[in-house]
Amino acid sequence: MPTTLRMIVDQVIAPVPGPLGAYSEALTRALIQAAPPGCEVEGIVSSSAPADYERLESEFPGLAGLYKTTLARRELAAAWQLGLTTSPGGGMIHAPGLFAPLRRHDRTVSGDQVVVTVHDLLAWTHPESLTTTSVAWHKSMLKRARKHADAVVVPTHALAERLTQVVDLGDRVRVIGTAPRPGLVVPTDAADSAARAARLALPAAYLVATGTLEPRKGVLDLLGALGRPGMPDIDLVVIGQPTWGELHLATVAEEAGVDPRRVHAIDTTDAADLSVILAGASAFVAPSHDEGSGTSLIEAFSFGLPVIHSDTPAYVEVAAEGGLMVPIGIGGGYTERLAAAISTVVESPALAERLSVTASDRAHAFSWRDSAERVWQLHADL
């Protein structure tokens, strides 16, 4: 009888899968491919439309089965938050987030295991980034994880350290990194790439960043840096929504002294489009003040892009000197330092080339295969 790892794949078919959906998809595929002899992977999903079940079975060839709960996603999230039943049974359960059936169990007797994943601590550090309901849900589920999870996975040691300041999990925290999202590869079809670039209205030369105008993301600082006197005449492509609250990217750019026509917001999650955007960029800028994961840097590294990043701990850990680090500091001066770094990279082809080489080298340190093997080993060791 095979040993079964049961993966919660619900986020893959969520209305807005987001980064967690991409993570769930990538890790599930890798777990199936990396399954040790005599092992298999099943999926767990909330009650959904038949087309969603078909999509999951199509997305994950090799999936041994799909357990369908009796409750829909919203009701199931509320039930699991309260520790109610409607569980998918026992065995080894791996959750790519905190959405998991966390309940009392004795794995030494029953063999049951529940492992959850924490990607950030926004509910504690930046609750304004989430809805009130989401903040309450995350805090409640982490409390349940403290009581009932057999292990908690985080993507970086930096986040692991911060997590200990929020909740005492003893020795149950495990660091297992991420890798580029599925389908994010250097384009090989020149005609398709040219057509996508034209449809996306990509400029001839540009920097690329990800995020919104939410202050912690640092895009405001980036625009301030590009608006300083003497900055290179280069466009900026921001992967994300153009608005945050009452702020609009074009308005903020103009106020910062940047011609709004040089700033382009592209809100897409399509891997082929993102590949074309990254492949055509001059450099990747990651100005964020607070991140739990450095996946965006890993994706930029996979394209050999020169990377300019803040010194938020997760970025420093992931980059490992593979990019040009800019200290955020305390008080003012960050935009000036960011501007100096951008000018140096854009105006120095030799430096950009060196950063490109180190980026490509650093990219080899991350793969979903490695992450999946470590997840399998984690469950074997419990």
Side-chain angles (χ1 to χ4, degrees):
M1 186 174 180
T3 299
T4 303
L5 177 62
R6 311 180 73 201
M7 181 74 170
I8 297 175
V9 295
D10 204 75
Q11 190 64 27
V12 175
I13 57 168
V16 182
L20 181 56
Y23 174 87
S24 304
E25 178 185 348
L27 183 57
T28 302
R29 286 183 181 178
L31 287 169
I32 294 170
Q33 295 169 357
C39 297
E40 63 183 14
V41 179
E42 287 185 355
I44 297 173
V45 63
S46 62
S47 180
S48 306
D52 289 330
Y53 299 145
E54 294 174 4
R55 179 186 163 195
L56 288 172
E57 291 167 350
S58 174
E59 289 274 2
F60 304 122
L63 197 68
L66 189 61
Y67 181 94
K68 305 157 187 172
T69 70
T70 57
L71 295 181
R73 181 180 297 108
R74 182 177 177 181
E75 290 74 17
L76 187 61
W80 281 353
Q81 180 182 2
L82 297 173
L84 301 180
T85 54
T86 71
S87 74
M92 297 193 306
I93 295 177
H94 192 92
L98 284 169
F99 183 58
L102 292 160
R103 59 184 177 238
R104 181 177 298 176
H105 63 281
D106 186 346
R107 72 172 185 271
T108 61
V109 175
S110 65
D112 294 346
Q113 302 174 3
V114 182
V115 175
V116 299
T117 310
V118 173
H119 296 274
D120 59 59
L121 295 172
L122 294 180
W124 291 263
T125 60
H126 294 83
E128 70 281 359
S129 301
L130 308 171
T131 65
T132 303
T133 300
S134 182
V135 169
W137 186 87
H138 278 86
K139 290 187 173 182
S140 177
M141 292 306 292
L142 189 58
K143 287 181 180 178
R144 296 199 63 79
R146 179 181 61 80
K147 293 179 180 178
H148 304 302
D150 296 294
V152 176
V153 172
V154 293
T156 60
H157 291 277
L159 183 57
E161 182 176 346
R162 295 182 65 186
L163 184 59
T164 63
Q165 300 169 13
V166 172
V167 61
D168 182 8
L169 294 166
D171 61 355
R172 290 178 289 164
V173 179
R174 301 289 187 276
V175 178
I176 299 178
T178 63
R181 75 192 73 190
L184 198 68
V185 295
V186 176
T188 56
D189 187 331
D192 178 70
S193 295
R196 288 180 183 273
R199 175 172 53 80
L200 295 168
L202 293 178
Y206 57 92
L207 305 172
V208 65
T210 62
T212 67
L213 291 171
E214 181 184 353
R216 72 177 181 90
K217 286 294 187 178
V219 175
L220 292 169
D221 301 288
L222 176 54
L223 290 171
L226 292 174
R228 291 185 61 78
M231 287 297 291
D233 187 20
I234 188 168
D235 285 24
L236 172 66
V237 171
V238 180
I239 301 172
Q241 295 182 356
T243 60
W244 185 76
E246 296 180 353
L247 299 178
H248 192 284
L249 191 63
T251 303
V252 174
E254 187 172 27
E255 291 174 349
V258 180
D259 186 341
R261 293 172 296 181
R262 291 175 44 211
V263 181
H264 316 266
I266 301 179
D267 187 16
T268 180
T269 58
D270 182 81
D273 283 351
L274 292 171
S275 296
V276 169
I277 294 170
L278 290 172
S282 299
F284 182 85
V285 187
S288 183
H289 292 238
D290 182 16
E291 292 292 336
S293 165
T295 303
S296 62
L297 266 63
I298 297 170
E299 293 183 341
F301 286 151
S302 71
F303 285 81
L305 269 178
V307 170
I308 302 164
H309 64 87
S310 72
D311 65 347
T312 192
Y315 284 170
V316 174
E317 177 183 336
V318 167
E321 300 184 352
L324 183 60
M325 185 184 73
V326 182
I328 297 171
I330 300 174
Y334 181 40
T335 57
E336 290 81 359
R337 291 187 290 273
L338 200 55
I342 292 170
S343 293
T344 303
V345 172
V346 172
E347 295 174 347
S348 174
L351 174 60
E353 178 61 26
R354 287 198 299 273
L355 288 172
S356 178
V357 172
T358 57
S360 298
D361 289 342
R362 185 59 183 151
H364 295 311
F366 307 95
S367 75
W368 286 114
R369 176 79 185 196
D370 177 66
S371 300
E373 289 176 349
R374 295 177 67 185
V375 168
W376 277 110
Q377 189 61 54
L378 165 59
H379 283 276
D381 291 342
L382 289 175

